[in-house]
Amino acid sequence: MKRINYPFTQEAIRELKVGDNVLITGKLFTGRDAVHKYLHEGNKSPVNLKNQIIYHCGPVTLKDKLGKWRVTAAGPTTSIREEPYQWEVIRDHGIVGVIGKGGMGKKTLDACKEYGCVYFHAVGGAAQVLAEKIKSVDGLFLENLGLPEAIWELTVEDFPVVVTMDSHGRSLHDEVFKVSEEALKKLL
Amino acid sequence: MAKKIKAKKNGQKKSPLKKTSSSQFDSLLQLIRMTSTIIPDDVQRVILKALEAEEKNTTAAYAMDIIKANMELAQKKSQPLCQDTGTVLFYINHPKNFDQMAFTKNVEKAIVAATKKGYLRQNSVSSLTGENSGVNLGPGHPSIHYHQHKKEMVEVRLMLKGGGCENVSAQYSLPDVTLEAGRDLKGVRKVIFDAILKAQGKGCGPGVLGVCIGGDRAHSHAHAKEQLLRFLDDKSPLSDLAKLEEEVVMTANKLGIGPMGFGGKTTLLGCKIDHLNRLPASFFVSISYMCWAFRRQGIVLGKKDEIKKWLY
């Protein structure tokens, strides 16, 4: 089990390899379809994403009587939908990590290598285990996109993920696909 | 208002979360809460077996451990298993002289209340403007399927199906030249495996497939989805389909896709297949992929619309 702690650095990211189980402690910013489209269209990010980690997640959130937000369910959403935009967000905003599920494609893998970023896979559907790791909700941006689509600034502790695409050009998703494709040819 | 009820399902342990209710609205709200937060027993059993099957200290076992912890935590906290609380799909079997319009109103009321309580995420978005209705109502939401039956009771089944697994669901038109899939069960088998291969871990596997052979495009997809209402240990009464159901699971679990696509032993937890007649010109095969966070539950309503029995 490896750990990375806030503030995140390029050096720490470069040390991570495919297959590493990692516990993340520090800051995450959620961002999914609408945020990626928004940034792709050239809009300015409401937060500085340099050396930050983006989490593909649309959480369930509740506001308590004092107006304070609480995240009650927060698993990853499918990442491949951000494939057209992710490389650009890595390049232009300097993010060093992407958390999601299902993996991403070649454009993102290339950007991870070139700019120093890693893809962390969280367990899809594990919204309670992951929400428990959220220690505070520190900010809400682009609320007009709808609550699941907004940027939520979160502080997490020991957030469990697996590196499935590293900054050295390796992708577990490509490898598993090839293995399963070969196996299927023999079984059909 | 809330009293504990006795366990009615084959002497299984009673759940303290299963409470009685005093009106149609209450019963429906309960149903939504239970469906969103607790994996039905038949699915839990298979998930726990899959956890045992994975080799220790692998990424696959790690994922299955987190899945198990998540099931326990969601039940304990009565909070959604998955943040994507999915398309809200109701299936209602009712006797004659049943007021569908009044029932639909109560379903909608219960959905709005469940959203406010956080059992459902604000999950309904206008396809034209991108605007989120905030209450999970809008064109097509919820999806309600009424069916009249001969029995006197009202059965309400609910499935919450997330977007990730819906996105990897598929429909094929046979013959498929690229896959060399003809208009027979061999061809059906080929396209099912194509869907499994393409889905990899993206549908939050290990998953369950509902499959429909035949029908028109719309009915075929709907019927494939309805197969997911069957118990996981249920077998097709047609021997050819029962065989195919079993073989698909066995073979899929030799592909090495594994939980979340991390590699591993369990790729599928189940496969349920049925058929509809088709036109001579058409041969559709529809595959509905359900994630491991298989949220479906059902109730029988009593005379006062209280929950008389849980169906899963």
Side-chain angles (χ1 to χ4, degrees):
Chain A
M1 189 70 71
K2 291 189 177 173
R3 289 175 174 280
I4 61 162
N5 298 316
Y6 196 79
F8 310 121
T9 62
Q10 280 268 334
E11 292 69 43
I13 289 299
R14 289 280 184 195
E15 277 179 27
L16 298 174
K17 303 264 160 39
V18 161
D20 285 345
N21 292 345
V22 180
L23 296 174
I24 302 172
T25 295
K27 213 173 259 306
L28 303 180
F29 291 93
T30 68
R32 49 179 293 167
D33 307 64
V35 167
H36 282 81
K37 185 164 178 282
Y38 179 87
L39 295 177
H40 172 72
E41 284 166 353
N43 295 299
K44 201 171 169 287
S45 174
V47 284
N48 184 359
L49 292 170
K50 178 84 185 152
N51 288 335
Q52 303 291 351
I53 294 177
I54 245 180
Y55 181 20
H56 295 159
C57 170
V60 178
T61 48
L62 289 174
K63 206 185 223 174
D64 68 17
K65 282 173 191 151
L66 301 168
K68 219 178 141 210
W69 285 105
R70 199 158 55 89
V71 173
T72 58
T77 190
T78 309
S79 300
I80 196 67
R81 295 192 305 272
E82 315 320 332
E83 181 62 12
Y85 319 117
Q86 198 67 71
W87 68 276
E88 206 174 62
V89 175
I90 295 171
R91 183 193 67 186
D92 297 347
H93 296 268
I95 57 170
V96 291
V98 174
I99 306 173
K101 75 171 171 83
M104 302 190 70
K106 190 172 181 310
K107 273 186 178 174
T108 304
L109 188 63
D110 290 347
C112 282
K113 193 172 175 185
E114 189 167 352
Y115 306 110
C117 182
V118 69
Y119 180 83
F120 297 109
H121 200 302
V123 173
Q128 287 309 317
V129 167
L130 297 170
E132 265 225 324
K133 310 296 179 190
I134 298 171
K135 297 305 160 187
S136 60
V137 180
D138 308 326
L140 169 59
F141 308 91
L142 301 177
E143 193 178 346
N144 57 312
L145 298 177
L147 291 178
E149 292 278 359
I151 294 179
W152 293 87
E153 183 181 349
L154 310 169
T155 295
V156 299
E157 202 178 291
D158 293 342
F159 192 91
V161 291
V162 178
V163 176
T164 56
M165 292 162 65
D166 62 25
S167 61
H168 309 283
R170 243 189 100 187
S171 161
L172 179 68
H173 307 286
D174 291 349
E175 292 168 16
V176 171
F177 185 84
K178 275 179 201 141
V179 168
S180 54
E181 197 181 29
E182 281 306 310
L184 184 58
K185 269 185 203 156
K186 284 177 198 150
L187 291 163
L188 267 187
Chain B
M1 137 199 144
K3 279 188 205 155
K4 284 179 187 172
I5 56 158
K6 281 180 190 156
K8 302 211 170 166
K9 288 186 295 176
N10 312 324
Q12 283 165 19
K13 63 183 184 300
K14 65 180 174 185
S15 162
L17 294 166
K18 295 183 176 181
K19 294 169 180 171
T20 55
S21 54
S22 56
S23 70
Q24 208 171 72
F25 164 80
D26 276 352
S27 296
L28 290 169
L29 184 56
Q30 281 276 20
L31 174 62
I32 296 171
R33 180 171 73 94
M34 292 290 292
T35 310
S36 177
T37 59
I38 302 180
I39 299 268
D41 287 346
D42 62 317
V43 182
Q44 280 209 30
R45 275 198 292 276
V46 182
I47 290 177
L48 295 177
K49 238 168 83 183
L51 167 65
E52 292 300 312
E54 292 298 340
E55 266 172 59
K56 304 294 161 225
N57 301 317
T58 55
T59 311
Y62 180 64
M64 292 306 294
D65 278 335
I66 290 181
I67 285 172
K68 180 171 179 253
N70 196 68
M71 293 194 299
E72 290 165 0
L73 202 57
Q75 176 157 359
K76 194 177 113 196
K77 296 180 107 174
S78 208
Q79 287 183 172
L81 279 148
C82 175
Q83 77 292 335
D84 184 356
T85 55
T87 304
V88 179
L89 296 142
F90 275 95
Y91 300 88
I92 295 127
N93 294 327
H94 62 80
K96 63 181 179 185
N97 302 323
F98 174 83
D99 190 342
Q100 293 187 356
M101 280 157 91
F103 195 85
T104 297
K105 275 199 179 134
N106 274 328
V107 166
E108 289 175 354
K109 255 174 71 184
I111 286 173
V112 172
T115 311
K116 280 195 186 130
K117 286 175 179 288
Y119 306 144
L120 298 176
R121 182 175 70 180
Q122 298 182 353
N123 228 15
S124 182
V125 175
S126 162
S127 299
L128 290 183
T129 65
E131 196 189 334
N132 192 317
S133 78
V135 288
N136 278 315
L137 302 180
H141 285 170
S143 172
I144 310 183
H145 305 259
Y146 288 105
H147 172 71
Q148 188 177 316
H149 63 178
K150 284 183 179 160
K151 292 184 257 184
E152 275 308 306
M153 60 184 173
V154 178
E155 293 172 342
V156 187
R157 287 180 173 78
L158 170 61
M159 185 150 67
L160 300 174
K161 192 166 183 302
C165 65
E166 188 70 1
N167 287 348
V168 298
S169 297
Q171 189 169 65
Y172 295 83
S173 177
L174 301 188
D176 186 306
V177 181
T178 325
L179 297 172
E180 294 177 22
R183 291 181 153 192
D184 50 26
L185 281 186
K186 273 188 193 163
V188 170
R189 180 173 174 268
K190 276 189 181 164
V191 299
I192 292 174
F193 280 112
D194 185 64
I196 295 167
L197 184 70
K198 285 193 178 130
Q200 290 286 304
K202 291 182 187 70
C204 284
V208 179
L209 302 185
V211 179
C212 175
I213 306 167
D216 67 76
R217 283 191 187 272
H219 198 173
S220 189
H221 255 314
H223 198 63
K225 208 171 266 181
E226 281 171 23
Q227 298 315 302
L228 299 168
L229 296 173
R230 287 165 54 187
F231 278 100
L232 224 49
D233 56 8
D234 180 35
K235 275 185 193 164
S236 168
L238 302 168
S239 68
D240 281 352
L241 295 188
K243 249 188 258 166
L244 187 58
E245 286 176 349
E246 200 183 339
E247 191 267 331
V248 164
V249 176
M250 233 168 60
T251 305
N253 289 341
K254 289 180 187 158
L255 298 181
I257 295 170
M260 291 296 133
F262 287 163
K265 294 195 169 150
T266 312
T267 297
L268 276 192
L269 300 169
C271 176
K272 304 290 159 205
I273 309 175
D274 198 18
H275 70 114
L276 294 172
N277 274 13
R278 59 181 177 83
L279 298 183
S282 307
F283 197 123
F284 298 114
V285 180
S286 304
I287 295 154
S288 185
Y289 191 108
M290 177 59 104
C291 55
W292 72 260
F294 193 144
R295 286 152 292 165
R296 65 142 152 70
Q297 196 37 275
I299 51 176
V300 175
L301 292 178
K303 286 206 174 80
K304 290 176 184 164
D305 283 325
E306 80 281 10
I307 296 172
K308 207 171 145 192
K309 188 180 163 190
W310 292 89
L311 290 170
Y312 295 99

